[in-house]
Amino acid sequence: MAIPVPIRLLLLALATLASLPRSGAQTNVTLGTSLPAAAGAAWPSPSGRFAFGFYATGGGLAVGVWLATSPNVTVTWTAGGGNDTPANGGELQLSEDGRLLWTGADGQYRSLAAPPQPALSAAMRDDGSFVLYDADGAVVWSTFEFPTDTLVPGQDLVPGAHLFSSVSPTNRAAGKFRLANQLNDENLVLYPVQTENAAHAAYWDTATFQIGFPLTLRLDATGVLYLTGNGGNYTKNLTRPGAALSPAETQVFYRVTLDPDGVLRLYRHAVASGDAWTTDVQLIGPSDRCHVKGTCGPNSYCVLDRDAQPSCLCPPGFEFIDAANGALGCTRTSGAGDCEAGLSMATIQNMSWADTSYAVLGAATSAADCQAACMADCLCAAMLLNSKDGTCTTQQLPLMYGRTGGGYTLFVKITSVSPAIGGGGRGHRVGRTTIVVVVCTGLLACVSLAALLAAALLFWANRRTFAEQDAAEALDEEAPLRSYSYQELEHATCGFREPLGRGAFGTVFRGTLLHNSSEKTIAVKRLDKVVEEGEVEFQREVRAIGRTSHRNLVRLLGFCHEGANRLLVYEYMSNGSLAERLFRSGGGDGPPAWGERMGIALDVARGLHYLHDELDSRVIHCDVKPQNILMDASGTAKIADFGLAKLLLPDQTRTFTGVRGTRGYMAPEWYRGVGPLTVKADVYSYGVVLLEIVTCRRSMELEEAGEERTLMECAHEWLVRGEVTRAVGCQDEAPEVERAVKVAVWCAQAEPQARPAMRSVILMLEGLVE
């Protein structure tokens, strides 16, 4: 006789409960069990030392794991990485379909855990992990797999994983700093958030880079934080064992936390009889809080007060963005970086700043020569002079990660203080000539202002019909990323029926989504190699362009990160790639006209300038080529495909040589493995692309035809012989053609330091500077 389905499920549940491990893993949550939302409401571990449930935070409640210290609990894990909006009411529930949900009073829910297979039960364990079990008693989900800002004994930070600091002790949302266990070079490094893994942004590391095998960060029960790898044959201790239990202490707990101030600390929590708790702190790094990059914002520098607490100051010519919050950084009050009259250089000695220069004067440069070079350069905002070797480097804004100490002298371009009218000291009378000049200047200013107002009114009358449309487009540009379900994207692409192209990691499909009551055409990239390369590309794409709305970058609208599915949703580019426009073979409309081609060249230059100089952290695209430049319906060129985008430490370049980038566009220092990867690698690639735009010829076509030279080498010969316009065949635009070829050749110089910054490229192509 067949057993009814409900009875079979009951027997299966009972068998599961009987088979689950009992050692610190007692199951106390079964399907359908709920926990009403209230501060302190929790499912405790068997000993009661750990709990999983609701705790109070700014603006409401959050869900997490905490150690029951006294007088306040110590949160060790927060659902959603702390980024879920605090809420009130509802209940926490292990749903009948095996998911962990926070269901609100209105019936809406947020998923806190969606295991790859349905859970049958759950438990808060004494090791500090909250886990979900399947029908066989195997763990299918654990808080240990998704660390936030803390590690406890038994919890690993695996290769490729991060810890993120919280905003503050009372706000558990992801804060300003991160600890990265780097996959590519086996180093454990502290960075500010929203930066790539770049040397100029790192402020503490374990010095384990490139040892040849991945490392895992682990904390043991005695308080030793250590790195291990190579099957346990390699171990590096980062802390010493903690103090032994005193006679008054009954138990001790350790945790390692990346604190809101960006410092990694080891905490020892001991409990004595009577449940009295004590906490001791051991600093891991860094010891000087001004060494934490990001403590002070852009264009400001950090100093320590008498209590070794950091505070932020502005250089001469700058003022705080917010006087009440100096950590936000400074903004300039002078014309630094302009070519106006009345500029001078202010000096601050014994400083340290991130060196993100676009030009290097070389060693043994005097202070006077260093300042003179900046005064002669309209793009220069500041200079850094290394007191050890006299190397002088040219800087643009923003100046980043400043602090006192470090052996550098900073020269900042500022507006000089103008002398009082009439000269001399106080009480001098103003002469008649000066009065006449002032009155005439005032009248002229009034006339000019009236004309300007009239022009503005006329301009507004011509443009106001488009104001609502522009505002809607602006709001659309700033729309945040959306997380789509796989079913939504499968439906949007009609079952991934219309492929647009295929890359190394997956295929791009055309689709449509309902957007603002109308259909919006999208492009969906489905990544095939999701386990390794595809997952890395997915993460790079989201980090590189996930928060930008620049008009010259293809916009990322959303993504799907669900189970084994990795999909990226982009705005649809209806006019194909630049390669298709430039290198059409036979028939059709032919390549674009000269003016359109120069517009495309400027679009790409502006997109790269944004990536290199206008973000908090520089993004190196790493694969600039016509196939990765897409055209929208209005003819605007947009840079796409950030699957290779990454900033590398100087010692990491050999790791990726030969497997990143495209032949013919890669900078020589990269494919030869002889130097660090910088933004100048993109500048080199842009130079090649610019020459292709000018000539409508592929850069490698000569070499592929058997000739022992490239198109770039030919361009250099054309310039030397004065034959550029004849070789290119654009006689009517001779000055513009020669200028563009010169810029292309300059961008493709062999030495990275010799290549211009993208801002300079834009000015040169626009004819504003020679």
Side-chain angles (χ1 to χ4, degrees):
M1 178 177 177
I3 302 176
V5 172
I7 297 178
R8 278 192 292 165
L9 290 177
L10 178 60
L11 292 175
L12 178 60
L14 292 174
T16 300
L17 292 179
S19 65
L20 289 179
R22 298 301 186 199
S23 177
Q26 178 180 330
T27 300
N28 51 20
V29 181
T30 55
L31 293 183
T33 302
S34 62
L35 182 71
W43 291 315
S45 69
S47 69
R49 290 303 183 196
F50 283 96
F52 177 83
F54 294 97
Y55 65 90
T57 187
L61 300 174
V63 173
V65 175
W66 63 82
L67 177 64
T69 52
S70 178
N72 300 312
V73 300
T74 299
V75 177
T76 59
W77 183 87
T78 303
N83 294 316
D84 290 342
T85 304
N88 288 290
E91 62 182 16
L92 190 62
Q93 183 184 61
L94 184 61
S95 65
E96 296 293 342
D97 61 357
R99 292 182 296 161
L100 188 64
L101 306 176
W102 183 353
T103 305
D106 57 358
Q108 298 294 320
Y109 69 87
R110 64 177 71 173
S111 177
L112 304 183
Q117 57 196 60
L120 191 65
S121 57
M124 180 67 243
R125 305 199 311 190
D126 273 332
D127 60 2
S129 62
F130 184 80
V131 299
L132 303 182
Y133 298 105
D134 66 8
D136 297 324
V139 174
V140 293
W141 187 91
S142 169
T143 56
F144 273 13
E145 299 173 14
F146 307 95
T148 50
D149 65 347
T150 297
L151 293 180
V152 296
Q155 182 179 17
D156 294 341
L157 190 69
V158 298
H162 289 75
L163 293 183
F164 288 91
S165 67
S166 59
V167 172
S168 70
T170 57
N171 183 348
R172 309 296 299 187
K176 296 168 58 176
F177 308 100
R178 63 187 176 93
L179 175 67
N181 190 357
Q182 298 180 165
L183 268 173
N184 53 359
D185 71 347
E186 303 87 44
N187 205 10
L188 199 74
V189 189
L190 284 171
Y191 298 101
V193 297
Q194 297 180 350
T195 62
E196 286 287 347
N197 295 1
H200 76 270
Y203 64 86
W204 179 88
D205 66 83
T206 55
T208 53
F209 46 84
Q210 294 187 336
I211 64 172
F213 43 81
L215 296 175
T216 296
L217 181 66
R218 186 170 294 164
L219 177 66
D220 71 14
T222 67
V224 176
L225 183 70
Y226 63 99
L227 289 164
T228 182
N230 194 23
N233 293 318
Y234 175 89
T235 300
K236 179 175 181 177
N237 290 349
L238 304 180
T239 63
R240 299 183 302 274
L245 280 174
S246 70
E249 295 172 340
T250 60
Q251 203 169 8
V252 63
F253 298 90
Y254 290 94
R255 65 178 170 98
V256 167
T257 299
L258 179 56
D259 283 327
D261 61 1
V263 177
L264 191 66
R265 295 182 175 92
L266 172 69
Y267 289 85
R268 180 184 186 270
H269 301 284
V271 60
S273 57
D275 211 33
W277 287 85
T278 58
T279 300
D280 297 312
V281 184
Q282 177 183 341
L283 191 73
I284 300 175
S287 57
D288 186 334
R289 288 181 59 184
C290 274
H291 283 253
V292 177
K293 293 181 177 179
T295 296
C296 295
N299 302 318
S300 66
Y301 62 96
C302 181
V303 297
L304 293 179
D305 60 22
R306 293 181 179 179
D307 298 326
Q309 297 301 307
S311 59
C312 304
L313 299 177
C314 296
F318 291 77
E319 64 182 7
F320 286 118
I321 295 172
D322 182 353
N325 187 1
L328 293 180
C330 305
T331 183
R332 68 181 184 183
T333 57
S334 67
D338 298 331
C339 277
E340 63 186 38
L343 296 177
S344 63
M345 302 295 291
T347 303
I348 312 178
Q349 296 180 337
N350 192 28
M351 299 290 293
S352 177
W353 296 84
D355 186 0
T356 54
S357 60
Y358 66 88
V360 180
L361 269 65
T365 304
S366 68
D369 289 341
C370 190
Q371 296 180 70
C374 188
M375 293 296 292
D377 184 352
C378 298
L379 304 179
C380 173
M383 303 291 277
L384 272 181
L385 179 62
N386 189 331
S387 60
K388 294 181 180 179
D389 60 8
T391 301
C392 182
T393 56
T394 311
Q395 309 289 324
Q396 292 179 323
L397 299 183
L399 303 173
M400 297 298 296
Y401 311 138
R403 61 177 174 85
T404 55
Y408 285 83
T409 299
L410 177 71
F411 302 110
V412 184
K413 188 183 288 184
I414 63 172
T415 300
S416 302
V417 179
S418 302
I421 296 179
R426 291 181 299 177
H428 281 245
R429 297 177 59 186
V430 179
R432 180 180 298 178
T433 302
T434 301
I435 294 175
V436 173
V437 171
V438 170
V439 172
C440 292
T441 302
L443 290 174
L444 182 61
C446 291
V447 173
S448 301
L449 181 60
L452 182 63
L453 288 174
L457 289 173
L458 180 61
F459 176 80
W460 175 254
N462 291 333
R463 287 294 303 274
R464 65 184 179 180
T465 56
F466 302 102
E468 292 184 1
Q469 177 182 349
D470 291 343
E473 290 179 355
L475 287 173
D476 182 56
E477 288 286 325
E478 296 297 334
L481 289 183
R482 178 187 163 186
S483 177
Y484 294 92
S485 70
Y486 181 82
Q487 288 74 20
E488 286 179 286
L489 298 182
E490 185 178 39
H491 176 74
T493 58
C494 296
F496 303 100
R497 189 171 60 188
E498 186 179 349
L500 298 173
R502 179 178 294 274
F505 299 106
T507 306
V508 180
F509 299 88
R510 177 172 176 159
T512 56
L513 284 172
L514 189 64
H515 181 75
N516 292 337
S517 301
S518 62
E519 285 191 342
K520 182 181 185 70
T521 306
I522 58 171
V524 179
K525 179 189 288 188
R526 186 174 67 184
L527 300 173
D528 298 330
K529 302 178 182 179
V530 298
V531 177
E532 296 177 358
E533 295 96 335
E535 175 67 23
V536 172
E537 182 185 21
F538 178 90
Q539 298 295 341
R540 285 193 182 117
E541 289 269 341
V542 173
R543 287 200 305 266
I545 60 171
R547 294 183 176 89
T548 181
S549 58
H550 194 273
R551 72 184 299 269
N552 297 124
L553 303 182
V554 172
R555 273 195 303 139
L556 181 63
L557 305 177
F559 58 88
C560 172
H561 193 290
E562 185 178 281
N565 298 306
R566 302 291 185 271
L567 299 102
L568 297 163
V569 183
Y570 301 91
E571 60 176 329
Y572 175 68
M573 298 287 102
S574 59
N575 280 339
S577 71
L578 176 60
E580 296 167 341
R581 300 292 306 279
L582 289 179
F583 311 135
R584 288 172 176 161
S585 57
D589 299 327
W594 172 257
E596 184 181 351
R597 300 209 306 272
M598 283 301 96
I600 292 171
L602 279 168
D603 284 343
V604 181
R606 292 182 182 117
L608 289 174
H609 171 54
Y610 175 80
L611 293 173
H612 293 175
D613 300 309
E614 296 184 353
L615 293 170
D616 291 338
S617 61
R618 294 182 170 190
V619 174
I620 308 176
H621 185 278
C622 297
D623 200 15
V624 177
K625 58 182 180 180
Q627 291 81 356
N628 288 340
I629 299 167
L630 304 182
M631 311 297 299
D632 68 8
S634 65
T636 301
K638 303 199 175 193
I639 302 171
D641 199 345
F642 284 73
L644 299 183
K646 190 173 179 62
L647 287 179
L648 304 178
L649 293 169
D651 294 328
Q652 296 173 334
T653 53
R654 292 183 183 273
T655 306
F656 297 100
T657 299
V659 297
R660 295 165 58 86
T662 303
R663 180 172 175 265
Y665 300 93
M666 293 175 64
E669 72 273 9
W670 194 8
Y671 65 74
R672 292 174 185 166
V674 295
L677 180 65
T678 69
V679 294
K680 295 301 181 71
D682 281 351
V683 176
Y684 181 95
S685 302
Y686 175 81
V688 177
V689 172
L690 177 58
L691 187 59
E692 292 181 325
I693 291 174
V694 172
T695 62
C696 295
R697 299 169 64 183
R698 293 172 55 246
S699 66
M700 299 299 292
E701 66 180 32
L702 295 177
E703 186 175 313
E704 291 169 355
E707 297 191 31
E708 295 182 356
R709 59 179 181 169
T710 65
L711 187 63
M712 186 62 68
E713 291 169 331
C714 290
H716 188 271
E717 294 177 7
W718 300 338
L719 287 174
V720 172
R721 297 175 182 174
E723 300 175 350
V724 171
T725 54
R726 183 181 64 82
V728 175
C730 295
Q731 300 292 337
D732 294 339
E733 298 86 8
E736 291 83 359
V737 172
E738 185 169 350
R739 180 190 304 121
V741 173
K742 285 181 178 179
V743 173
V745 173
W746 189 8
C747 288
Q749 293 296 299
E751 294 297 327
Q753 297 86 348
R755 301 168 201 154
M758 291 309 303
R759 181 180 178 185
S760 301
V761 169
I762 295 170
L763 294 175
M764 288 185 289
L765 290 180
E766 290 177 337
L768 300 179
V769 298
E770 290 296 326

